[in-house]
Amino acid sequence: MLRMPSCLLKLPRVVQSHKAWALFLLILMFVSFAYHKFYWSIWEDPKSRGHPDSLSAAISCPPSVPSSQNITAGPSPSPGKVFFVETSEQTNPSYLFSCSVESAARTHPGSRVVVLMKGLAKGNASLPKHWAFFLLSCFPNVQIQPLDLTELFSGTPLKRWYLWPLRHWEPYFLPVLSDACRIVLMWKFGGIYLDTEFIVLKNLQNLTNALGLQDKKELNGAFLSFKPKHTFIKLCMQDFVQNYNGWVWGHQGPELLTRVFKKWCSLRTIKSMSCKGVRALAPEAVYPIPWQNWKKLFEAVSALELQQLLKNTYAVHIWNKLSHNTKLEIPSQALLAQLYSQFCPATYAKMKED
């Protein structure tokens, strides 16, 4: 009687094992894909898209904004830059996105405001036909450029992290990728980083080597301002890789910055202070509205209340993940509507028009 080779006897078990792993990977990929779609549907407000086609021909630059054709006529902006980053493939900026960049451009006329977007084609000089791109191009200090992630991470500890083939299937990959971009930008170039959900009220250039407390327990990296090659940012990059956990929300963002700052200052609990040349700004500086109280943005406030609220504030974080589905009346006395009106009037005019 012929006996089957032992290797063939083991084959069904091997096949079954491979099937189980393949099924697991397929499920993981599906869940991750579904999360990415859900996550970006949250962050993108359909009401804020405007009408991308034919708008560039209908919109003219506001009188208060120099024409983009006259960029070379004015003085060259200083080396300090203000960075915004879009790590998804989206190329249809919201009203809030436009307001963030416009308010930064207005409050930093002597600085380059650089908007890096992964969805823009490399080497293509023309921007997508969308009202926000046309409007922001009116500002001579705004530059909208493709985001080359491989080039950005090269020469840093995050290069190997980014190049791992299965990285983009992690559940929070896009927000973690944003966390990675901001600390590498600060390390390589320095300047100011802002999330695209800030409305900037004042020039931020004097807040060097600083980040903000979002509450009494935690720092937030939605605003960063550092000189290039700063040791604190180097430690942030090292912690990013050494203590990496892409499965916990915020572990690579606010929690990372809080961990590093506590070590930097030998603290057990976080507090507003300056330590070894790095400042942790009090919440009212850039997070005057706590995330738990985000609905206040949609409540009516008097001019006096607004003045008092923003007395010590440089920028207001809008907490778009929580607030994106809330209807904003335009015009109104709501705090957010007044911020749009005062600090990004060109975007506000487009909102009223729509």
Side-chain angles (χ1 to χ4, degrees):
M1 180 176 179
L2 291 172
R3 294 184 63 184
M4 217 181 228
S6 60
C7 61
L8 293 178
L9 290 173
K10 294 177 182 178
L11 186 60
R13 282 179 289 175
V14 173
V15 171
Q16 286 297 112
S17 175
H18 284 188
K19 281 185 177 179
W21 272 108
L23 181 61
F24 172 77
L25 286 173
L26 283 171
I27 293 173
L28 180 64
M29 290 166 66
F30 175 78
V31 171
S32 179
F33 175 77
Y35 170 80
H36 288 170
K37 296 290 287 184
F38 174 73
Y39 178 86
W40 287 109
S41 69
I42 284 178
W43 281 86
E44 179 184 1
D45 183 357
K47 300 188 293 295
S48 69
R49 292 175 187 167
H51 307 284
D53 297 326
S54 77
L55 279 172
S56 59
I59 298 177
S60 59
C61 291
S64 61
V65 179
S67 170
S68 59
Q69 296 175 350
N70 297 327
I71 290 177
T72 56
S76 177
S78 62
K81 293 181 179 179
V82 180
F83 290 100
F84 292 94
V85 174
E86 175 58 72
T87 53
S88 77
E89 298 291 339
Q90 293 188 69
T91 56
N92 52 345
S94 66
Y95 294 126
L96 181 54
F97 186 113
S98 177
C99 183
S100 296
V101 179
E102 179 187 345
S103 62
R106 289 182 181 275
T107 51
H108 299 77
S111 302
R112 292 287 185 197
V113 178
V114 182
V115 183
L116 299 170
M117 302 186 72
K118 187 173 181 290
L120 295 182
K122 299 173 188 176
N124 188 352
S126 61
L127 293 170
K129 292 181 179 180
H130 189 280
W131 67 266
F133 290 126
F134 182 83
L135 178 62
L136 296 175
S137 295
C138 292
F139 291 86
N141 58 332
V142 172
Q143 296 179 337
I144 303 173
Q145 303 172 354
L147 173 62
D148 187 333
L149 291 167
T150 303
E151 180 182 350
L152 178 64
F153 293 130
S154 66
T156 75
L158 279 74
K159 178 182 177 180
R160 290 183 64 186
W161 165 83
Y162 175 67
L163 292 178
W164 188 57
L166 298 180
R167 181 68 63 206
H168 63 285
W169 291 113
E170 292 176 351
Y172 304 124
F173 175 67
L174 286 174
V176 169
L177 182 59
S178 178
D179 293 330
C181 287
R182 66 193 68 182
I183 59 175
V184 172
L185 283 168
M186 291 297 95
W187 169 253
K188 282 192 166 184
F189 308 108
I192 295 166
Y193 167 84
L194 290 168
D195 273 1
T196 53
E197 50 186 300
F198 262 115
I199 298 180
V200 186
L201 319 184
K202 302 173 186 174
N203 191 290
L204 298 159
Q205 294 289 3
N206 65 328
L207 301 179
T208 308
N209 299 333
L211 63 171
L213 282 162
Q214 68 175 23
D215 52 41
K216 295 180 179 179
K217 296 180 179 179
E218 203 163 47
L219 290 158
N220 193 310
F223 157 77
L224 295 171
S225 177
F226 281 87
K227 292 182 178 179
K229 304 297 189 292
H230 196 284
T231 305
F232 180 84
I233 298 298
K234 182 179 180 180
L235 293 174
C236 288
M237 290 194 299
Q238 292 173 351
D239 186 283
F240 189 100
V241 176
Q242 293 170 2
N243 298 309
Y244 184 76
N245 187 341
W247 296 83
V248 177
W249 175 267
H251 185 81
Q252 303 303 122
E255 290 183 19
L256 180 151
L257 294 167
T258 304
R259 288 194 303 270
V260 175
F261 190 79
K262 284 180 177 180
K263 293 177 182 177
W264 181 264
C265 298
S266 301
L267 296 172
R268 288 189 175 182
T269 56
I270 207 79
K271 59 182 178 180
S272 175
M273 63 183 296
S274 179
C275 175
K276 298 180 184 177
V278 177
R279 284 188 283 176
L281 304 173
E284 59 263 26
V286 286
Y287 307 106
I289 308 296
W291 66 266
Q292 300 92 332
N293 197 26
W294 64 267
K295 291 183 180 179
K296 184 175 181 65
L297 291 161
F298 297 85
E299 297 172 1
V301 296
S302 67
L304 181 60
E305 285 180 287
L306 179 62
Q307 184 180 0
Q308 288 296 322
L309 178 66
L310 306 178
K311 185 178 180 181
N312 300 313
T313 299
Y314 288 82
V316 180
H317 193 267
I318 305 304
W319 308 110
N320 191 50
K321 188 178 180 184
L322 299 169
S323 65
H324 71 282
N325 273 334
T326 306
K327 185 178 180 181
L328 177 64
E329 295 291 341
I330 297 291
S332 72
Q333 293 302 305
L335 172 57
L336 183 53
Q338 294 194 56
L339 292 176
Y340 273 110
S341 175
Q342 292 186 39
F343 300 102
C344 54
T347 301
Y348 182 71
K350 182 68 177 66
M351 295 172 74
K352 288 197 297 183
E353 177 187 318
D354 289 345

